[in-house]
Amino acid sequence: MNAATPPLRVLYRDAQMIAVAKPPGMLVHRTALARGETRFVMQTLRDQIGQHVYPVHRLDRPTGGVLVFALDSEAAAALTQAFTDKRVTKRYLAVVRGWGPEALSVDAPLREEDGIRPKAEMPAQPALTHLRRLACVEIPVAIERYPQSRYALMEARPETGRRHQIRRHLARCGHPIINDAKHGKGIHNRYFRDHLACPHLLLHAAELRLWHPYAERWLSLTAAPDAAFAALLARFGWQAHAVSDSARFDPPSVTRSITHPATTTLAEPNPESP
């Protein structure tokens, strides 16, 4: 491992898999689109533990949080199948502009944005995200036309895994994630970077719960947010919604279900919130 690259925080490890806390801004693996990059989660973890690792899902480059790798090809196939069979639930934290909806399920198909073909020619794929507002704040700063500015901490639980799904669904609601350069608003992003010491996208993969195909039990993994995200939660009085690094199995007899709000299909963004 490069001496300049700090070790990754290991959340859980057994003979078949390992889970780490991915730092925001770090690519999962090498790609032709990332020329000049020298730090990758996959290579860093390989050097850190001294063995090859196999990716079974992904997180976007700017997103931090729980990331799982298999430790051999057989486990990779089994874990990938668990994701394919949707024996996985994911919970994200996001700081957004405006006071997001108290509870909303967004059912809005998405087209691939970064393909070779024009976006309009790409097929629309089903995409469903369940949203819930956890906390909100109003600060006495006139960033736009309002004398105060409003922000909210949202929980997002995606049922599908489209590229940039949470970012695009929140923007479609009129509540883009802070520091989302593509779907957000520059004036708010600059304020958070320059005055609140938040230089990256404020989206964090806080929890991943999956069916462990070898233990045959549900495994819940959580990752604490990075220092900048954690400091912002404390500044806004939202620290109770932060999570710590942990890994735990459900008892064999325990099953869980999640009740989601009524689904709303969105075609166009709602009017902007202050």
Side-chain angles (χ1 to χ4, degrees):
M1 183 169 57
N2 189 321
T5 302
L8 297 164
R9 301 193 329 261
V10 175
L11 307 173
Y12 174 82
R13 182 178 181 181
D14 61 24
Q16 292 83 31
M17 62 171 278
I18 186 169
V20 300
K22 174 189 173 296
M26 195 173 183
L27 286 163
V28 174
H29 52 72
R30 297 182 189 276
T31 168
L33 300 177
R35 295 174 182 172
E37 290 293 323
T38 58
R39 298 174 63 245
F40 306 90
V41 177
M42 188 171 168
Q43 285 74 23
T44 299
L45 183 58
R46 176 200 62 198
D47 295 345
Q48 182 174 325
I49 67 173
Q51 71 178 92
H52 189 69
V53 296
Y54 300 74
V56 295
H57 70 120
R58 69 172 186 264
L59 287 176
D60 292 335
R61 177 179 182 172
T63 305
V66 181
L67 187 62
V68 172
F69 293 88
L71 293 177
D72 59 55
S73 58
E74 180 181 316
L79 288 165
T80 298
Q81 192 62 48
F83 279 83
T84 301
D85 294 342
K86 297 186 176 180
R87 305 197 83 180
V88 175
T89 61
K90 303 173 185 177
R91 177 177 177 267
Y92 291 75
L93 297 176
V95 179
V96 306
R97 180 164 59 89
W99 289 357
E102 183 175 351
L104 179 69
S105 290
V106 180
D107 186 356
L110 297 173
R111 301 178 189 274
E112 178 60 58
E113 292 184 307
D114 302 316
I116 298 175
R117 294 161 54 190
K119 178 180 173 182
E121 296 180 6
M122 301 297 288
Q125 297 179 304
L128 176 61
T129 307
H130 305 289
L131 303 171
R132 183 167 67 100
R133 188 177 68 225
L134 300 177
C136 52
V137 69
E138 185 174 78
I139 63 175
V141 178
I143 295 176
E144 291 193 79
R145 61 184 181 273
Y146 303 98
Q148 294 86 27
S149 299
R150 293 177 173 181
Y151 303 97
L153 179 65
M154 300 293 296
E155 173 189 89
R157 293 180 180 268
E159 282 202 15
T160 49
R162 308 307 174 202
R163 184 171 174 82
H164 299 168
Q165 176 175 318
I166 297 172
R167 295 161 65 174
R168 294 167 72 182
H169 275 176
L170 279 165
R172 202 159 189 164
C173 292
H175 301 284
I177 300 174
I178 298 300
N179 283 334
D180 186 340
K182 187 167 187 176
H183 305 101
K185 201 160 188 178
I187 190 170
H188 291 271
N189 296 345
R190 286 191 296 274
Y191 182 82
F192 273 72
R193 288 198 302 266
D194 297 343
H195 299 280
L196 299 178
C198 291
H200 63 75
L201 181 75
L202 291 179
L203 177 64
H204 177 67
E207 181 178 5
L208 187 148
R209 184 170 174 267
L210 78 159
W211 178 256
H212 194 301
Y214 294 89
E216 297 187 335
R217 293 164 65 184
W218 287 99
L219 173 63
S220 294
L221 304 162
T222 61
D226 67 281
F229 204 130
L232 184 75
L233 294 178
R235 183 181 190 124
F236 284 170
W238 298 343
Q239 60 268 32
H241 297 288
V243 297
S244 57
D245 291 353
S246 71
R248 62 183 176 83
F249 280 100
D250 282 354
S253 61
V254 172
T255 58
R256 296 185 191 175
S257 62
I258 299 172
T259 302
H260 295 300
T263 299
T264 298
T265 301
L266 296 182
E268 298 295 337
N270 288 340
E272 289 185 1
S273 298

